[in-house]
Amino acid sequence: MLIGHMKEIIRHPVKSFSGESVQKSKIMDYGLYGDRGHAYLDESKKGNFLTITHFPEMVRYKARYAGEELLEEYPKVEVITPEGEIFDWEDEELIKEMENKSNRKISTIEYPPSHVPIGPIAVENIQLVTDASIDHLQEIWGEAEVDFRRFRPNLFISLKEKKPFIEEEWIGKRIKIGSEVEIELVGHCKRCMIITVNPDNAERDSSLHKTVIKERKNNFGVYASVIKTGDIHVNDEVHLLD
């Protein structure tokens, strides 16, 4: 059954940095190619990941892959700073800048393109949201525009029937994207303070999170695991399988 089309595909080459919207990509056995394939570690916290939770301005840094998606190695990872400068993600000047801003000692970690573990994501490597749910949340929040980037999804689906939160009804079911990829919806996405951070200026507003807690039991979006790998494209048809 046709349920919609792929509106945007978003991957995050570096954990907690803003991601890049791409026209096409590969779905690997772990999820979207290279998603959270790189991360910064907070050495002051025994090597835990450095995230927006502790350093909100991370959301103002944008990461992108510059080159072809290869299974043997990643393309170059470029970072665009809030000031518009471009660095390699491991550039000492970039790391020093973030250390000064965050007051933390930072190191790096990279996972192979063939397999990014669950660790950087916490639950599953694919997260999905729909346009109808974003639009309805906008109505019940009643504040500023709800930018879907706050929720850091990989797949943003435009629904044929604009029924808010219908994706929660798909948990336990499979959907097909394009001609190759199949994923299974496995559970709700519980939200944390990250959604309070404006992706443009890193300013925080707790009212959005309070709304999601009150109106949606702190659930927004769903996690998925990969059943069949392959290529996906913006505007691909999305079908709910029997």
Side-chain angles (χ1 to χ4, degrees), residues 76-88:
K76 181 179 180 181
V77 180
E78 293 182 338
V79 173
I80 306 171
T81 70
E83 294 73 34
E85 294 186 273
I86 300 175
F87 293 96
D88 181 90

Side-chain angles (χ1 to χ4, degrees), residues 39-51 95 99 102-109:
Y40 294 106
L41 301 178
D42 181 356
E43 294 302 329
S44 65
K45 298 291 185 180
K46 299 182 179 179
N48 290 340
F49 292 117
L50 181 68
T51 71
I95 293 175
E99 286 181 335
S102 65
N103 293 314
R104 286 169 164 81
K105 178 65 177 175
I106 296 172
S107 62
T108 63
I109 187 169

Side-chain angles (χ1 to χ4, degrees), residues 185-222:
L185 286 300
V186 297
H188 297 91
C189 183
K190 293 286 185 183
R191 291 300 170 177
C192 67
M193 63 70 60
I194 286 177
I195 69 171
T196 71
V197 181
N198 185 311
D200 290 323
N201 56 26
E203 293 180 0
R204 293 178 59 177
D205 183 345
S206 62
S207 65
L208 178 60
H209 193 198
K210 290 177 180 177
T211 298
V212 174
I213 292 171
K214 178 182 177 182
E215 302 291 341
R216 302 303 308 164
K217 298 180 180 179
N218 204 29
N219 297 320
F220 193 88
V222 291

Side-chain angles (χ1 to χ4, degrees), residues 3 36 52 78 104 108 110 129 155 162 169 174-175 177 188 203 232 239:
I3 55 175
R36 279 84 166 190
I52 297 168
E78 293 182 338
R104 286 169 164 81
T108 63
E110 177 179 327
V129 299
L155 308 178
K162 304 299 185 185
E169 298 177 20
R174 297 183 180 184
I175 61 175
I177 304 170
H188 297 91
E203 293 180 0
I232 60 171
H239 291 261

Side-chain angles (χ1 to χ4, degrees), residues 51-146:
T51 71
I52 297 168
T53 303
H54 306 104
F55 181 29
E57 196 173 352
M58 288 186 81
V59 77
R60 299 185 65 213
Y61 289 79
K62 299 178 181 179
R64 66 190 180 194
Y65 286 119
E68 183 182 357
E69 296 179 359
L70 300 176
L71 299 182
E72 299 79 22
E73 63 179 355
Y74 291 114
K76 181 179 180 181
V77 180
E78 293 182 338
V79 173
I80 306 171
T81 70
E83 294 73 34
E85 294 186 273
I86 300 175
F87 293 96
D88 181 90
W89 85 287
E90 289 185 299
D91 190 289
E92 290 184 6
E93 185 177 343
L94 172 65
I95 293 175
K96 180 61 67 176
E97 173 184 317
M98 292 197 299
E99 286 181 335
N100 290 337
K101 287 182 176 181
S102 65
N103 293 314
R104 286 169 164 81
K105 178 65 177 175
I106 296 172
S107 62
T108 63
I109 187 169
E110 177 179 327
Y111 303 96
S114 58
H115 187 70
V116 178
I118 292 294
I121 316 297
V123 181
E124 289 285 346
N125 293 59
I126 293 180
Q127 190 212 138
L128 176 156
V129 299
T130 66
D131 58 350
S133 296
I134 289 287
D135 290 346
H136 188 69
L137 182 60
Q138 171 78 65
E139 293 177 14
I140 59 179
W141 184 33
E143 300 291 336
E145 180 181 356
V146 177

Side-chain angles (χ1 to χ4, degrees), residues 136-174:
H136 188 69
L137 182 60
Q138 171 78 65
E139 293 177 14
I140 59 179
W141 184 33
E143 300 291 336
E145 180 181 356
V146 177
D147 189 327
F148 78 92
R149 293 178 298 162
R150 287 178 180 264
F151 300 93
R152 305 183 69 79
N154 302 114
L155 308 178
F156 187 31
I157 293 178
S158 176
L159 294 174
K160 181 180 178 183
E161 178 187 356
K162 304 299 185 185
K163 182 179 179 181
F165 312 115
I166 192 173
E167 59 270 26
E168 296 179 2
E169 298 177 20
W170 303 337
I171 292 174
K173 300 180 181 179
R174 297 183 180 184

Side-chain angles (χ1 to χ4, degrees), residues 16-31:
S16 275
F17 277 1
S18 287
E20 58 175 342
S21 181
V22 296
Q23 291 298 302
K24 63 179 182 178
S25 190
K26 302 180 187 298
I27 293 287
M28 311 288 287
D29 62 355
Y30 60 81

